[in-house]
Amino acid sequence: MELVVVLIALLVFFSITCIKVVPQAERVVIERLGSYLTTWDNGLHVKIPFIDRIRAHVSVKEQVADFPPQPVITKDNVTMSIDSVIYFKVMDPRLFCYGVENPMVAIENLTATTLRNIIGDLDLDTTLVSRDTINAQMRSILDEATDAWGIKVNRVEVKNITPPAAIQQAMEKQMKAEREKREAVLLAEGQKQSDITIAEGNKRAKILAAEADKEAIILAAEAEKERQIREAEGQAEAIRSVQQATAAGIAMVREAGADHAVLTLQSFEALKEVSKGQATKLIIPSDIQGIAGLAASLKEVVSEKGNDQA
């Protein structure tokens, strides 16, 4: 009876151990009697004890392999160190288990040799600026080579490219020289632009000053012209007024019935006013005798008026 209980317990134990649950994003490779049988997907599975065995648990998630730096030599014989990162995914667990002995070591060695071949065709300067080209070539070559291992290479990235210390120092000096050159060029361009701006400013200032002087001269000429016009109009108005006054005076004299003696007397008074001026010469009319006779007549007229009053 005890033997039966032990046998039942052993049977239950082995039954439990033969029940397997495969989690999500994982595959289980099963062998039967040493040969590949099947691949379990996620879910509940049962295997036959002592006949079936689990060969490997394989993750089908995308994985990242970061390989250590690899020494490579460029086309111009410069030794540098390059490390890379590979993003891959297991597409066929059976090939992943049986296609190569150690898939990760195989991928690492394949990556190193592929990288050496690609860099060997490039010089130093091209290598430093051609990361995208290197990544694309490596991904294409590795993806094709790992198909037989059930691996899909999705992406390859070159992390660091480290040239020798001497090359780095030379590159730093070159970069410093280029920066100093650009700085000198920028300073020269700035000084040139500044000089051009100053010259244009001076030119513009002179043009504005000349235009201002021109406008001032024009305004002064117009003012002088206006002054002369006003003065001429004033003189014309004065002459017109004098002529009108003279005409009015003559008219009044005529209306008063002034005779020749009165007119002659007025002429003497005008001659008297002329003699008070600053002129050094006086022009006496040629008919001075007539004027003397006129004066005698005036004297007689005055004497007659005096006698009548007496």
Side-chain angles (χ1 to χ4, degrees):
M1 187 65 182
E2 294 179 356
L3 182 59
V4 174
V5 173
V6 172
L7 291 176
I8 293 174
L10 290 174
L11 182 60
V12 171
F13 175 75
F14 281 114
S15 298
I16 294 174
T17 57
C18 290
I19 298 174
K20 298 294 182 182
V21 177
V22 180
Q24 184 71 29
E26 186 173 308
R27 302 292 182 267
V28 177
V29 177
I30 302 299
E31 292 181 349
R32 176 170 292 176
L33 300 177
S35 299
Y36 171 77
L37 176 63
T38 186
T39 300
W40 287 350
D41 294 331
N42 58 297
L44 181 65
H45 300 274
V46 178
K47 68 182 181 69
I48 300 175
F50 306 110
I51 297 178
D52 297 338
R53 78 180 186 93
I54 297 175
R55 171 68 173 78
H57 292 265
V58 180
S59 175
V60 294
K61 296 184 292 184
E62 187 170 9
Q63 303 178 51
V64 181
D66 187 0
F67 300 131
Q70 301 292 330
V72 295
I73 301 176
T74 62
K75 186 177 180 180
D76 48 355
N77 296 324
V78 176
T79 302
M80 62 175 61
S81 178
I82 300 179
D83 59 335
S84 57
V85 178
I86 294 179
Y87 297 82
F88 68 94
K89 184 177 181 180
V90 177
M91 305 301 295
D92 191 337
R94 182 179 66 85
L95 293 178
F96 184 77
C97 293
Y98 300 105
V100 65
E101 181 63 27
N102 193 329
M104 297 308 301
V105 175
I107 292 175
E108 181 179 358
N109 291 329
L110 181 61
T111 301
T113 55
T114 303
L115 190 60
R116 291 190 182 98
N117 290 335
I118 294 174
I119 300 301
D121 294 333
L122 304 175
D123 56 19
L124 176 62
D125 294 336
T126 305
T127 302
L128 295 176
V129 298
S130 302
R131 292 197 178 196
D132 292 340
T133 303
I134 297 172
N135 294 338
Q137 291 182 2
M138 288 186 61
R139 194 204 67 80
S140 177
I141 295 173
L142 291 177
D143 187 34
E144 182 179 357
T146 55
D147 283 343
W149 305 339
I151 298 173
K152 172 68 175 178
V153 177
N154 295 324
R155 190 173 181 180
V156 178
E157 292 289 341
V158 174
K159 285 178 59 178
N160 295 313
I161 299 176
T162 307
I167 299 297
Q168 291 184 8
Q169 293 176 0
M171 292 172 61
E172 290 176 357
K173 292 180 180 179
Q174 182 179 1
M175 292 176 61
K176 182 178 179 181
E178 288 292 334
R179 287 193 296 268
E180 291 177 351
K181 177 182 177 181
R182 289 196 296 269
E183 180 183 4
V185 171
L186 291 175
L187 290 175
E189 289 292 336
Q191 185 63 37
K192 176 183 176 182
Q193 190 65 30
S194 176
D195 295 340
I196 292 174
T197 304
I198 293 173
E200 291 179 350
N202 293 333
K203 176 182 177 181
R204 184 61 180 171
K206 292 180 179 179
I207 292 174
L208 292 175
E211 291 178 352
D213 294 339
K214 177 181 177 182
E215 292 179 358
I217 293 172
I218 292 174
L219 292 175
E222 292 179 352
E224 180 65 20
K225 176 182 176 182
E226 185 68 20
R227 186 190 64 79
Q228 292 178 0
I229 292 173
R230 297 291 184 181
E231 184 177 354
E233 290 178 351
Q235 292 177 358
E237 185 66 24
I239 294 172
R240 193 160 44 248
S241 299
V242 171
Q243 293 296 331
Q244 290 177 356
T246 303
I250 294 172
M252 292 175 63
V253 170
R254 288 179 178 177
E255 290 177 358
D259 54 6
H260 185 70
V262 175
L263 297 177
T264 303
L265 182 60
Q266 290 182 352
S267 298
F268 274 109
E269 290 177 355
L271 184 61
K272 179 180 178 181
E273 293 296 330
V274 171
S275 65
K276 293 180 180 179
Q278 297 180 357
T280 57
K281 293 182 180 180
L282 292 176
I283 299 175
I284 304 299
S286 59
D287 56 349
I288 189 62
Q289 294 178 357
I291 294 175
L294 179 59
S297 300
L298 289 175
K299 181 177 180 182
E300 292 178 357
V301 171
V302 173
S303 296
E304 291 178 354
K305 287 183 179 181
N307 293 326
D308 292 336
Q309 290 177 358

